[in-house]
Amino acid sequence: MLQVKFVFMDGHVKAMIGAEPGMAELLEPGIEPRTRPDAGDPANDWLCAWCLNRVASEKDRFSYESRSEFSFRNPEGIWFNILLFSQTIGGRQAGAPTLANTWFADHAWSFCLCDSCAMHLGWHYEGATEFVGLIRSRIVRAALMRS
């Protein structure tokens, strides 16, 4: 009969399997506490998903009505998940601002394009406050791109 015995030693759970004298020892990896990433760390910056140009910094995340992430559907029925930033590092404003179909009351929008490849990354908003909404599927974390 196979025996399993669990023992907690040195911050790890050890499972002892087998008959007493020659039991095999299996180690579970220790659980390390997660640390909150430093918003100022460049590894937490956001890059254009197409050309990997640095476009936004996590330290510039912005809250509108206590939220920094939104999902909206445009008039054509396309859904967008966006993250808000107070500014971009590598995005440029394009087009004339308009209030037509805006997602944020009294905030005119214009396009936000990648400085490097001109991919449409989201929208600049102007009104009582100015901010940028970047499309989540068009940006990636710099830390995920490290080899």
Side-chain angles (χ1 to χ4, degrees), residues 50-127:
W50 276 260
C51 71
L52 303 182
N53 180 41
R54 193 169 305 275
V55 294
S57 175
E58 185 64 19
K59 69 180 177 53
D60 294 325
R61 286 294 291 269
F62 177 80
S63 290
Y64 179 87
E65 295 182 353
S66 302
R67 294 177 50 201
S68 65
E69 297 183 31
F70 290 85
S71 293
F72 295 111
R73 187 170 59 191
N74 73 7
E76 287 77 38
I78 301 169
W79 281 96
F80 292 96
N81 296 315
I82 63 172
L83 304 179
L84 302 186
F85 296 87
S86 60
Q87 63 182 356
T88 62
I89 304 167
R92 71 173 186 267
Q93 188 172 356
T98 179
L99 286 169
N101 301 307
T102 187
W103 292 327
F104 299 97
D106 299 320
H107 284 79
W109 62 270
S110 57
F111 295 105
C112 177
L113 307 179
C114 175
D115 275 347
S116 180
C117 71
M119 177 56 64
H120 172 224
L121 297 177
W123 300 270
H124 281 270
Y125 290 93
E126 301 175 8

Side-chain angles (χ1 to χ4, degrees), residues 37-53:
D38 178 10
D41 183 350
N44 292 315
D45 284 351
W46 295 90
L47 312 177
C48 170
W50 276 260
C51 71
L52 303 182
N53 180 41

